[in-house]
Amino acid sequence: MLARKFAVPFVLLVLLGSFCTTNVQAGDKTAGAEAFVDSMAQRAIDFLGDESITHDQRQAKFKKLLKSSFDMKTIGRFALGRYWRTSNDAQRKEYLKLFENMVVEVYSSRFGEYKGQTVEVRSSRADGETDFIVTSYVLPVGSGSEIQVDWRVRHKGGQYKIIDVIVAGVSMSVTQRSDFASVIQRGGGEVNVLLAHLRSE
Amino acid sequence: MFNTKAVALLEGGKTSIILVMSVLSCLFLASCSSTAEHPIMAGDIIIDDPLENHNRRIFAFNAAVDNAVIHPIVEGYRAVVPSPGRTGVRNFLRNIKSPVTFANQVLQGDLPGAKDVVLRAVINSLVGLGGLFDVAGSEGIEYEPEDFGQTLAVWGVGHGPYMVVPFLGPSSIRDYAGYAVDSFADPLRWYLHNIDEEGIYYAKVGLEYLDLRESLIDVLEDLESSSIDYYAAVRATYYQRRDALIRDEDPESAPAFPSYDDF
């Protein structure tokens, strides 16, 4: 077990290292996306299950991991949908800041209730030029069924970033976009209505 | 004897028949407007909610019922029955639903799926102590939820208008009609009616409801805290989840993302 614990990060390092070379094949990139999700999930599990650090330290570490693994700008822009075009630069800037804060808060409180589940990356496929869908399963500790979690990973500027999480077929980004669109529509088509809500969250 | 019983059952099911009839005509209309393409293309879901104001009122009513009645009951269920017991209940309910699941797999033309339903029912009934243990599932024959709403979708029927059903929650004309058909056609119901034990059937329905609510309580709490417009978030989740079930959770069609190169 202990050997396996070290073997996995080692393999990941080797895998990640191989992507630094130029002219990588698409297949390698797919494997790279898989390794990226796997290493992110294992890192998260490592400190989420670490009893020796305080709750606040855990949250801080988790926020840092989220910020480094998720492309918040892309997710935020997607979530704003067609209202991105109708908003001005100041609104966009404020929106992206508020959005990032919201996502980080939501996720760090969600994963704060971590009960020892494990994540198993099982497959992946390329989707277009830059995107990869990595399919993983969250395994419960006791009884109960596993949950399929798909990660949309984008390879951009030599880096992998998560831009969507799809839990049992439900996309976080699509749900958020629908939520925001409804808020704006019911507020008379004003992006400021959404900003006011995000400010008060 | 059987005939009079059957007539009585039909009488008893009169409301469901009327519902099914009225709903089938809606379905016909829905099917005319349905598109062959996938609703979640390009990250947008097609939401058809002409009765939104009405639906929002029922949604608020359901939320009030949830807080006052359902949550305390689910908490009680969780306190009294530990997790393995609740899983046993879920396995059992899935097992006795096998005839309905099987019929829908066949109607959808999914013969490997239908074969799995039969294998699961046989294995779990015999080895899994009457369905309490999902032995087949741990051997790799996974449970796949099927209902007549999904069958209609496979046949090309669109959702039709979104609707929030009192006590039941999010649905659509198509899926609610499917639910009515499944309940009406369930052989278990006919059997229990014939032996004058229809009470058992309603106990089963109650237990199913409890199981469903217990499985959703955390998900919904999470969605409520992470959304601004909870109604819209539930609606979007409903459409996506149904879509995933119709595709038998095939990850081939995750919503696409534009590239946003002009950042």
Side-chain angles (χ1 to χ4, degrees):
Chain A
M1 197 59 209
L2 197 67
R4 207 178 144 224
K5 216 174 174 181
F6 287 106
V8 173
F10 177 72
V11 170
L12 291 181
L13 269 178
V14 174
L15 277 173
L16 284 171
S18 66
F19 303 119
C20 300
T21 54
T22 49
N23 249 347
V24 275
Q25 304 275 309
D28 289 343
K29 276 195 187 161
T30 310
E34 246 179 71
F36 167 74
V37 170
D38 195 47
S39 85
M40 190 229 29
Q42 301 317 324
R43 268 199 311 183
I45 284 170
D46 276 349
F47 62 70
L48 285 173
D50 187 354
E51 297 291 335
S52 68
I53 54 172
T54 66
H55 178 77
D56 289 346
Q57 281 173 314
R58 213 172 290 145
Q59 292 254 320
K61 278 190 170 207
F62 193 68
K63 284 180 186 177
K64 217 177 125 192
L65 182 67
L66 270 181
K67 283 184 185 176
S68 65
S69 321
F70 283 66
D71 181 354
M72 294 291 182
K73 271 186 169 176
T74 299
I75 300 171
R77 182 169 168 180
F78 177 84
L80 197 55
R82 60 196 171 95
Y83 296 104
W84 178 265
R85 249 175 265 146
T86 60
S87 47
N88 60 41
D89 281 347
Q91 284 173 323
R92 286 177 185 179
K93 218 175 145 195
E94 192 192 356
Y95 163 76
L96 286 176
K97 208 177 125 228
L98 291 167
F99 179 80
E100 177 168 337
N101 286 342
M102 189 196 93
V103 170
V104 169
E105 284 308 321
V106 164
Y107 276 78
S108 48
S109 71
R110 182 177 302 178
F111 289 94
E113 293 156 39
Y114 177 72
K115 294 185 195 84
Q117 296 93 330
T118 47
V119 179
E120 220 179 87
V121 173
R122 293 203 192 143
S123 63
S124 60
R125 64 181 176 88
D127 187 58
E129 295 275 289
T130 53
D131 290 5
F132 303 91
I133 308 290
V134 177
T135 298
S136 72
Y137 288 82
V138 175
L139 313 177
V141 191
S143 57
S145 41
E146 50 185 39
I147 301 166
Q148 183 177 341
V149 179
D150 294 329
W151 311 78
R152 178 175 287 272
V153 177
R154 181 161 288 177
H155 188 253
K156 206 171 164 184
Q159 272 187 317
Y160 290 102
K161 294 266 181 169
I162 293 158
I163 56 171
D164 197 10
V165 185
I166 304 141
V167 181
V170 179
S171 148
M172 178 197 89
S173 300
V174 169
T175 304
Q176 224 144 25
R177 178 193 265 219
S178 197
D179 177 14
F180 289 178
S182 177
V183 170
I184 297 171
Q185 271 160 26
R186 291 173 74 79
E190 284 292 327
V191 176
N192 283 333
V193 177
L194 176 67
L195 292 179
H197 273 290
L198 289 172
R199 268 183 230 122
S200 65
E201 281 279 300
Chain B
M1 189 61 191
F2 175 78
N3 279 341
T4 53
K5 288 272 168 103
V7 170
L9 179 68
L10 289 172
E11 293 273 294
K14 207 177 234 168
T15 38
S16 7
I17 290 177
I18 293 168
L19 180 77
V20 170
M21 298 270 265
S22 62
V23 138
L24 279 177
S25 54
C26 300
L27 284 175
F28 178 70
L29 293 174
S31 67
C32 297
S33 59
S34 78
T35 47
E37 305 171 86
H38 240 274
I40 318 195
M41 283 299 178
D44 262 324
I45 33 178
I46 295 167
I47 290 168
D48 180 16
D49 192 1
L51 303 170
E52 181 166 341
N53 288 334
H54 173 71
N55 280 336
R56 277 185 189 267
R57 275 195 291 277
I58 298 183
F59 189 78
F61 167 77
N62 283 352
V65 172
D66 273 12
N67 284 329
V69 187
I70 311 294
H71 279 223
I73 292 176
V74 168
E75 296 300 334
Y77 177 51
R78 281 187 170 176
V80 174
V81 185
S83 171
R86 297 198 301 269
T87 305
V89 169
R90 181 163 305 157
N91 292 337
F92 179 75
L93 289 170
R94 284 173 174 178
N95 197 43
I96 57 174
K97 225 174 88 186
S98 296
V100 175
T101 312
F102 174 78
N104 280 304
Q105 289 283 31
V106 171
L107 290 172
Q108 289 170 30
D110 187 351
L111 295 181
K115 190 191 88 189
D116 281 356
V117 177
V118 174
L119 279 174
R120 283 180 55 83
V122 171
I123 294 170
N124 288 346
S125 302
L126 294 179
V127 192
L129 299 185
L132 287 174
F133 294 95
D134 187 3
V135 181
S138 42
E139 290 301 319
I141 312 170
E142 300 285 343
Y143 172 72
E144 216 178 77
E146 295 296 350
D147 55 67
F148 197 64
Q150 292 183 50
T151 300
L152 289 170
V154 170
W155 292 351
V157 179
H159 266 291
Y162 179 71
M163 60 192 279
V164 181
V165 184
F167 301 102
L168 289 178
S171 192
S172 65
I173 296 281
R174 179 194 71 203
D175 289 345
Y176 192 52
Y179 175 75
V181 170
D182 282 333
S183 314
F184 183 71
D186 190 348
L188 186 70
R189 186 176 111 120
W190 291 78
Y191 171 73
L192 288 171
H193 184 87
N194 281 329
I195 59 165
D196 271 331
E197 292 286 0
E198 221 169 1
I200 297 177
Y201 182 77
Y202 294 111
K204 183 212 106 169
V205 172
L207 202 57
E208 260 173 354
Y209 186 69
L210 184 63
D211 172 59
L212 176 73
R213 296 313 310 264
E214 194 274 328
S215 70
L216 286 176
I217 201 161
D218 294 329
V219 180
L220 290 176
E221 242 169 48
D222 199 61
L223 194 60
E224 186 169 12
S225 67
S226 66
S227 62
I228 301 171
D229 185 346
Y230 182 40
Y231 173 87
V234 168
R235 187 175 57 189
T237 303
Y238 178 75
Y239 275 104
Q240 293 178 77
R241 182 67 194 140
R242 288 299 292 174
D243 198 54
L245 288 175
I246 291 158
R247 286 183 277 114
D248 291 343
E249 307 203 29
D250 183 356
E252 281 299 298
S253 35
F257 255 67
S259 63
Y260 301 134
D261 280 331
D262 53 329
F263 247 132

